[in-house]
Structure formats: structure tokens, C-alpha cells
Amino acid sequence: MTTITLDVPAGRPFGLLRHSLALGKRSLIKTLRTPEQLLDVTLQPVIFILVFVYLLGGAIAGSTHAYLQFLLPAITVQTLMFASMATGTNLNSDVKKGVFDRFRSLPISRAAPLVGAVFGDLIRFVVSITVSFGFGLIMGFRFQTNPVEVIGAILLMLFFAFSLSWIFVLVGVLVREPGAVQGIGFVTLFPLTFGTNMMVKTDTLPSWLQAWVKINPVTDVMASVRALTLGDGPIAGPVTHTLLVSAGILVVFAPLAVRAYRRRA
Amino acid sequence: MTYAFQAEGLVKRFGATTALAGIDLAARAGTVLGVLGPNGAGKTTAVRILATLLRADEGRATVGGYDVVRDAAKVRRLIGLTGQYASVDEDLTGQQNLELIGSLLDLRRKDSRSRAKELLEQFGLAEAGGRAAKTYSGGMRRRLDLAASLVGRPSVIYLDEPTTGLDPVKREDVWNMVRSLLDSGVTVLLTTQYLDEADALADEISVIDHGSVIAHGTPAELKHKVGGQTIVVRPSDPGRLDEVDRLLRETTGHETESSGRGVLTAPADDDRVFTTLVRRLDEAGIGVIELSLRLPSLDEVFFTLTGAPVPHQNAHDSLEMAV
């Protein structure tokens, strides 16, 4: 008795990119259909800006306006980093659904559902940056550089957040509950985002904390965005650092996440 | 004989639990293999291995001549999978769900759109196609799920308990759809907990229990093996129940049982019993409002094959669902 050999239909090239875009579109449709999902990236920057600027602005910078100029670029980076966590939590609850079984049974790369989720979540980053800058502008924040540099700052932040979300994709694939992704996320993001010169100048900090702030890569990201939006400080150094760190995170964590997903399946 | 898929000696363990204990399954091209078994028997595990979602610890399986592990990518181009729990995306519309599968299967945009339309129509979902799937009823979701597994015109289709939890009318709906699939020459693996479903759809049935095949054959062979079809008669005039009782005892050679008010049942282990009874009832001028041959339930099949009632292992069930 023999087994029949069936003809396999041929695929088309550039599968990973096309499949990831199709799955990214799926995430995007889901987000747009439940816009309350975007509440975190909408409310958090507004609340943080209000609290920090009015509570601390006078004491730290002498005036709320001066402090807003100093704080806003950095707080935009911070909100963005918290937004990248959501990719992990969303994916964690998504992977358990039957529809992911179907994706696994399709002739697509195992990376595609993950890349798709990250692509789809780029909308969160765009919303997050828009709200943060938009609300800042309403409160009196002013860009001090030309539009090209501002756009550069935005693209740089998007690339950084895109890379960072792969860490949370890995966590999202590994842990059992979405809550665990958040727990791990907060524990790592608090020292990374607050342990910077986001709120005060580095030289006002105790020396051990200065040491951390100086090696913390997020400090470079914030310095890049400040330089590109306010024109203070050097651009090349921090931007190069940010690009290298982002690329490094991407190269390490994206393959790890795909491997973990493949094992789970 | 040529097989469209073939599994040999599949073993799968989850920790201390053995889900599959060396199972063989095969279906000839263009036929339906029914895999009948209770919850936790290993049905879903077997399907998941054949669908490349899970790796067997031992044994091998091929689909369309391709190994499910070594040639998984090729196998995935040949199969369509409909899970036990409708696996459609709740937030997407019916149309979007099908178009997504189309683009993942490398259909061109225009083709995937028209294929989606065509399937929605075929499954009676044309009007609901623009609504989010979360607004669909249970039956509509199953149909959308089935449609999603057909987007790529697969040669082998796995239907994992496609009617569990559906009411009888919806079950009939799904059965008709499965029958219409067969006209296009596909091979189907159908898992079910219902003998009547396997009987209605399958060309051959493998009965599995505790991860092993305990019986295999055509529905007729299997029914013959487990015997025990039951005749059910309900005369239109309850006053003539005694006469019916006598006729039933004479034709079947068994004692009758009354399974309800005005209803008599008796085992029928001869092919001609039913027609004889019809003739005798007619001769006696007795009208009936119910007269049927009932297949044994899964419980009865198991009792006959294993001498033990259907195992109820809740821990095992939940494990299988979780995997």
C-alpha cells in the first residue's frame, strides 16, 4: 500500500514581509475596532506632563515653562517605552486563542505572527508620540529646531520603540499570563526610564546614581530627542548610541522571541 | 490503495500522561476517516500532530506523501484545519477573516477577495460578511471557521469535533457542508464523540481510547461488531401497545423495553428485523407515529468494545485542551 503524493501549490516570494504586513493589518484593525486599547498611550503622557510640570516645574527649573521644555522630549521617550510593553501583553493573550493555531497550520514563517504584531503596534507608538508632542504644544512647548530634525527625532524614537518591543514579545511568548508581562515590564522600565536625566540634570544626582544614568542607554535616547527638538547638546554621539543600542536589541531579541514562539508551538 | 495521509505508531506523552500510545490512522484519498472516541482519548492530539502543530515523541506521519516534521512547510500547503473551538478572529469581519487567510496563503489580493466572497456565499454568510465575527451565533462561527479552512482549496481537511456544542439542526447543517466538500475530492479526517455523526459522514471509522485504536472498520462493520441497533416504535393508538409488544418480541426474539410512555424498544441484531416488523405492523393495521432504528451511543459502543463504561478523566480532558 502506498501513500499518494499530492501536488503542493507554489508560494510567492517575499513571504515573510507580505505575511507580516497582512498580520499587522489584522492587529491594526483590532486596535481601531477597540480604540479604548489606546487609552494608556493617550492618558499617560497627559497625566505625567501635568503632574511633573506643575508639581515640580517651579522647584526644579524656576518656571513651569522652562521645565516643560526640558521635560517633554524625555517624557515622550518614557511613554513610548511603556507603550512598547503592550505588544507583549496583547500578544500573550492573543497567542492562546484558536486563531493562532490556524496561523501555525498555515505555510507561513513562524516569525510572521510576531513581526505582524509588532508592525500593528506601530500605531500605538505614533499615537503616543502625537499625543505627547501635541499636548506639550498646547501647554506651551516649542520646538527649537527645524522640521527635518523633529522628524528625525520621531523616526529615531519609532525605531527604538520597535526594537524594544521585541523584548516584550519574548516575555509575552514565555510567560503564562498578560499580567506577568506587565509585572516584568514595570520592574525593568522604572529604573530604565526614571534612572536617567529625564527629570533633573545628571550633576544634581548622587554619584552612584550618576554612574547608572551614564551607562543607561535610555539616557542617550532622551539626549538624542532633546538635541533634535531643542537644539541643545551634541547630536551625533547620542544618536549613534541610540541606533546601535536599538539595532543590538533587535538582533538579539527578535530571533530569541521567534525561537521561543516556535518552541511553544 | 493509496493513502492521502498516514500515521504510524504515533506516541505522545505530556509529562506523566500518555496521550497517544502508538496510534495508526490512515485514509484513502477522497474518503472520510472518522475518529471516534470520548474526551481525552487523544483525538485532538492526533489531529495536531497531523496538522504539524505538535511533534510526536515516536512514530511518523505523512500527508500527501510529505513527512509532517521534515516537510512541514509542504504539508501546511495541503491541509485545512478546523479546530474544536472555532478559531476565527472575533474582531475581524467574516470577509476580513477569510481575506487574511487568503493573503497568508499567497493568494493575490483580487483572488483572495473573490475567494472570500465565494465562500461566504457557499456557507450562507454573505449577508453577515461585513459584520465582526463576535456578533455571529455559534453556528455561524463554525461555518466561518470551516470556510476559513477551505480558502486554500486544501486536499486534506481536519475537522476536529466540528459539531460539538451545536444543536441538532446546526449539526445537520455542518454535515451537509461536509458532504458537499467531498464532491470536490478532498480527504477528510473527522473526529467526533458521536457514533451517528461518524456513521453519517465517514467511510471508515477508527475507534480510539486511551490513545490506541481499539476498533477499525466501515460503519457497517463496526455496527455489526458492536451489534445493538435498537428498534423504537410508538404506535399512534396507545391502546394497541400490547399488540405491538407481541409483534416486536416475535420479530426480534428479544424482550422489549419501555423507554417512555407509549414507546417500546427492542434490540435488533438481524438486518431483516426492521422490514419484517414494518410488514407485520402493516398487516395488523397498526399505525405508528415513530418507528426508527437507533444506533448505539458512544457509551454503548465502548461498553461493547472494552467491557467498561466510557472513561471520564477530567484531568486528562483539560490537559488535552490546554495543549
Side-chain angles (χ1 to χ4, degrees):
Chain A
M1 283 191 271
T2 55
T3 305
I4 193 170
T5 303
L6 296 170
D7 287 335
V8 178
R12 287 200 285 141
F14 306 112
L16 179 57
L17 183 65
R18 275 184 300 105
H19 301 152
S20 301
L21 287 174
L23 289 162
K25 188 175 150 199
R26 161 183 177 266
S27 303
L28 190 62
I29 294 171
K30 287 168 82 77
T31 309
L32 295 180
R33 198 150 281 165
T34 44
E36 58 270 28
Q37 270 191 51
L38 294 172
L39 261 187
D40 57 340
V41 291
T42 335
L43 281 182
Q44 197 191 328
V46 171
I47 291 169
F48 274 29
I49 292 167
L50 284 175
V51 168
F52 291 142
V53 167
Y54 287 111
L55 231 56
L56 310 173
I60 295 174
S63 81
T64 50
H65 177 73
Y67 192 53
L68 179 66
Q69 288 292 104
F70 175 73
L71 181 75
L72 191 81
I75 217 159
T76 306
V77 172
Q78 186 194 35
T79 345
L80 199 57
M81 290 175 68
F82 278 101
S84 73
M85 195 167 72
T87 311
T89 42
N90 290 346
L91 193 70
N92 183 273
S93 45
D94 219 10
V95 162
K96 291 178 202 152
K97 290 182 190 147
V99 69
F100 262 73
D101 266 358
R102 189 184 297 288
F103 296 157
R104 287 195 196 101
S105 76
L106 291 172
I108 58 173
S109 156
R110 290 286 156 116
L114 304 187
V115 181
V118 177
F119 276 176
D121 268 0
L122 287 175
I123 183 74
R124 306 178 66 81
F125 304 147
V126 173
V127 169
S128 167
I129 295 174
T130 309
V131 169
S132 190
F133 278 164
F135 187 67
L137 287 170
I138 293 170
M139 286 186 55
F141 174 80
R142 291 296 173 260
F143 293 111
Q144 305 296 323
T145 53
N146 63 46
V148 177
E149 283 172 302
V150 173
I151 289 170
I154 292 172
L155 292 179
L156 187 70
M157 282 192 285
L158 284 176
F159 179 52
F160 175 64
F162 173 81
S163 304
L164 190 67
S165 52
W166 281 101
I167 298 182
F168 293 107
V169 168
L170 173 65
V171 177
V173 174
L174 287 178
V175 303
R176 281 164 184 270
E177 293 298 323
V181 184
Q182 263 177 340
I184 295 170
F186 280 118
V187 166
T188 49
L189 288 181
F190 266 92
L192 279 172
T193 59
F194 283 104
T196 57
N197 59 1
M198 176 175 89
M199 299 175 68
V200 294
K201 293 214 153 54
T202 314
D203 52 24
T204 64
L205 300 171
S207 60
W208 60 268
L209 190 54
Q210 285 195 27
W212 163 246
V213 169
K214 280 174 189 156
I215 58 161
N216 183 354
V218 180
T219 307
D220 284 315
V221 184
M222 291 176 173
S224 310
V225 179
R226 275 189 180 132
L228 288 166
T229 56
L230 301 175
D232 64 345
I235 292 182
V239 169
T240 312
H241 256 133
T242 305
L243 288 173
L244 284 176
V245 166
S246 306
I249 294 174
L250 190 62
V251 167
V252 173
F253 284 93
L256 282 179
V258 172
R259 220 178 88 165
Y261 175 68
R262 192 170 295 173
R263 287 220 174 153
R264 183 172 170 151
Chain B
M1 272 204 282
T2 50
Y3 289 121
F5 65 83
Q6 196 168 14
E8 289 167 328
L10 293 185
V11 174
K12 183 72 192 176
R13 297 181 202 90
F14 297 110
T17 316
T18 302
L20 296 180
I23 202 169
D24 297 334
L25 295 172
R28 281 174 290 116
T31 67
V32 179
L33 174 71
V35 174
L36 178 67
N39 261 333
K43 301 189 296 292
T44 298
T45 306
V47 169
R48 291 179 68 93
I49 290 172
L50 282 164
T52 76
L53 300 181
L54 204 62
R55 272 189 195 199
D57 297 328
E58 290 167 40
R60 62 188 289 272
T62 56
V63 178
Y66 300 101
D67 189 280
V68 292
V69 177
R70 266 181 296 123
D71 292 317
K74 282 186 179 133
V75 170
R76 291 185 191 127
R77 288 204 178 271
L78 295 172
I79 59 172
L81 171 67
T82 297
Q84 194 166 349
Y85 303 94
S87 49
V88 296
D89 199 308
E90 306 258 295
D91 291 319
L92 266 54
T93 66
Q95 176 86 20
Q96 285 168 338
N97 262 294
L98 298 183
E99 281 184 22
L100 172 63
I101 306 294
S103 39
L104 295 179
L105 284 167
D106 291 342
L107 297 187
R108 288 176 194 283
R109 185 180 296 255
K110 191 166 61 75
D111 298 338
S112 96
R113 193 166 299 161
S114 60
R115 178 72 177 143
K117 271 222 158 66
E118 180 184 314
L119 284 166
L120 287 172
E121 245 156 60
Q122 187 184 336
F123 286 86
L125 294 167
E127 274 173 38
R131 289 205 329 254
K134 63 179 150 207
T135 67
Y136 286 18
S137 69
M140 289 164 79
R141 275 179 215 216
R142 292 291 171 107
R143 279 183 277 155
L144 180 60
D145 191 45
L146 193 52
S149 65
L150 299 176
V151 172
R153 303 179 197 278
S155 323
V156 176
I157 298 173
Y158 305 125
L159 302 172
D160 191 16
E161 302 201 15
T163 64
T164 298
L166 290 187
D167 65 47
V169 180
K170 307 254 167 59
R171 284 182 70 194
E172 198 78 38
D173 263 6
V174 173
W175 289 3
N176 285 330
M177 274 174 246
V178 175
R179 288 193 190 103
S180 69
L181 291 181
L182 294 172
D183 299 338
S184 57
V186 300
T187 310
V188 175
L189 171 69
L190 168 90
T191 76
T192 181
Q193 300 189 41
Y194 311 111
L195 181 59
D196 60 342
E197 182 159 296
D199 183 42
L201 297 174
D203 296 293
E204 287 182 29
I205 300 175
S206 292
V207 185
I208 70 172
D209 182 32
H210 287 111
S212 307
V213 176
I214 55 171
H216 177 88
T218 63
E221 286 165 358
L222 206 65
K223 277 186 279 182
H224 186 71
K225 194 181 277 181
V226 298
Q229 295 207 82
T230 306
I231 294 186
V232 183
V233 197
R234 185 196 293 270
S236 44
D237 177 4
R240 305 189 70 175
L241 213 53
D242 288 343
E243 281 176 74
V244 173
D245 185 57
R246 185 174 50 79
L247 284 178
L248 202 49
R249 270 187 285 122
E250 283 172 14
T251 41
T252 63
H254 288 287
E255 280 304 305
T256 63
E257 269 179 56
S258 180
S259 62
R261 279 165 58 92
V263 184
L264 286 171
T265 61
D269 35 28
D270 186 316
D271 294 349
R272 282 162 308 180
V273 166
F274 192 74
T275 46
T276 310
L277 180 70
V278 171
R279 208 170 51 242
R280 304 272 313 258
L281 286 169
D282 188 43
E283 283 163 7
I286 300 173
V288 292
I289 48 179
E290 185 185 346
L291 179 60
S292 59
L293 259 182
R294 189 173 62 75
L295 287 175
S297 67
L298 182 64
D299 294 83
E300 289 159 338
V301 171
F302 264 77
F303 194 78
T304 316
L305 291 174
T306 66
V310 168
H312 288 288
Q313 292 187 327
N314 289 326
H316 197 150
D317 292 354
S318 52
L319 177 74
E320 191 176 33
M321 277 158 56
V323 183

